[in-house]
Amino acid sequence: MHRPRPAAPRRSGATVSTPSTPSQAAATPVAGPDAATATGHQSAPGGGRGSLGPVGLVLAGGLSVQFGAALAVTLMPRAGALGVVTLRLAVAAVVLLLICRPRLRGHSRADWGTVVVFGIAMAGMNGLFYQAVDRIPLGPAVTLEVLGPLALSVFASRRAVNLIWAALALAGVFLLGGGGFEDLDPAGAAFALGAGAMWAAYIVFSARTGRRFPQADGLALAMAVGAVLFLPLGIAESGGKLLDPVTIALGAGVALLSSVLPYTLELLALRRLPAPTFAILMSLEPAIAATAGFLILDQALSATQSAAIALVIAASMGAVRTQVGRGRKVKAVPDLP
């Protein structure tokens, strides 16, 4: 999802790793006996009424991300797609480094290798996504991108029923492209699919980083790596435009809306919201993106494109529900003596 999330906190003696990002929760929800407990997050007392608060935080985070992406599109004529990514990564890295103040010593070579790959995946995910939204509407771009985590979920579960969800998602992609992507720029669609592949890699290495670094230290370091890697690309494309005060201010707005604010909101929400519920809510992001594109960028979608987005959302939700149901079934089976 083209925005970084906090890596999972490291716990001594833990045998179950926490999904480190909403993306990871959506793609690979915990299938243990108790998803909320396994992830370290529990629903608030009071059932559904108590969950309205964290649900609102998650939805607010999703709105922040997608409206931040819409703001990034308006900034592209001024700074270029690569310049926007550079500004976003740089500002977010500075903010996270100041907040987390990660410790640089005491890490092994494997730790640093993991965080560097995590940073590369993050930079690639953002760079490819912004190349996509520079060419195709925001809603279809996010829909194609979310196929990466969905494919990771299907392949990781290895359950036959997930083939149904994969087929549903492919049907949505077929509709989205009008049967041959004549209605979408082919390069833009390819960039969005590439961003989805990098999103899947981001999920994997986010989890690994979370096991090696405490709190959000790994995220802050990886963000810094991504910013350093993208800086030459941004300078090559935009040059002195990156030093324009208005451009810097808008870039800071993109970073805050797409990274810092949603990270904070979802961190608060996950303290009270079960991970499976959170994952299902994250499946709504293509619809939120389409709404942001319509309201800010005047990107109206056809009925066919809207139906395609609905199919991908349904496939993502179905994959999550399937894995959650499997976890409950495992719980019901007693251990053999």
Side-chain angles (χ1 to χ4, degrees):
M1 211 165 341
H2 57 275
R3 84 266 193 181
R5 291 289 188 260
R10 183 172 60 190
R11 295 183 176 88
S12 59
T15 57
V16 179
S17 60
T18 304
S20 55
T21 68
S23 313
Q24 183 183 355
T28 53
V30 175
D34 187 335
T37 303
T39 57
H41 310 302
Q42 298 180 356
S43 56
R49 183 175 63 182
S51 66
L52 290 178
V55 167
L57 291 174
V58 174
L59 293 177
L63 288 170
S64 179
V65 166
Q66 301 307 336
F67 278 86
L71 176 61
V73 174
T74 66
L75 181 58
M76 285 178 186
R78 178 185 292 269
L82 298 179
V84 172
V85 176
T86 300
L87 288 172
R88 171 182 167 173
L89 292 175
V91 173
V94 170
V95 172
L96 288 174
L97 288 173
L98 290 175
I99 293 175
C100 299
R101 297 181 181 180
R103 183 167 51 89
L104 300 180
R105 296 182 179 180
H107 301 297
S108 67
R109 182 176 299 179
D111 292 342
W112 284 112
T114 299
V115 85
V116 166
V117 176
F118 184 26
I120 292 172
M122 187 186 304
M125 177 179 64
N126 282 275
L128 290 170
F129 178 77
Y130 282 151
Q131 289 289 337
V133 296
D134 195 29
R135 294 168 171 81
I136 62 177
L138 184 59
V142 175
T143 303
L144 290 172
E145 186 194 25
V146 83
L147 293 178
L150 178 59
L152 181 62
S153 176
V154 171
F155 293 144
S157 69
R158 298 180 181 178
R159 298 193 68 197
V161 68
N162 275 315
L163 294 177
I164 298 175
W165 306 126
L168 195 64
L170 289 176
V173 173
F174 184 80
L175 283 177
L176 193 62
F181 286 96
E182 290 86 356
D183 295 334
L184 294 177
D185 181 88
F191 279 126
L193 290 172
M198 295 303 293
W199 190 357
Y202 168 88
I203 291 169
V204 173
F205 283 94
S206 176
R208 295 181 182 180
T209 301
R211 289 192 291 267
R212 293 177 177 271
F213 292 84
Q215 303 304 322
D217 288 8
L219 173 68
L221 293 171
M223 187 77 72
V225 170
V228 171
L229 291 176
F230 236 95
L231 185 60
L233 298 177
I235 293 176
E237 181 179 77
S238 304
K241 296 178 182 178
L242 295 177
L243 300 178
D244 179 71
V246 176
T247 300
I248 293 176
L250 291 174
V254 172
L256 293 174
L257 285 173
S258 297
S259 299
V260 179
L261 182 59
Y263 158 64
T264 303
L265 292 175
E266 290 164 8
L267 183 66
L268 293 174
L270 277 169
R271 292 176 179 174
R272 294 182 289 160
L273 192 67
T277 303
F278 181 77
I280 292 173
L281 290 172
M282 294 305 297
S283 301
L284 297 174
E285 292 228 350
I288 298 175
T291 302
F294 175 75
L295 294 177
I296 296 182
L297 305 173
D298 197 26
Q299 295 176 344
L301 299 179
S302 66
T304 301
Q305 289 176 325
S306 298
I309 292 174
L311 284 175
V312 174
I313 291 173
S316 185
M317 286 184 172
V320 171
R321 297 286 296 190
T322 297
Q323 298 224 40
V324 172
R326 183 186 183 191
R328 290 173 179 169
K329 184 175 180 181
V330 170
K331 180 181 180 181
V333 178
D335 293 333
L336 295 176

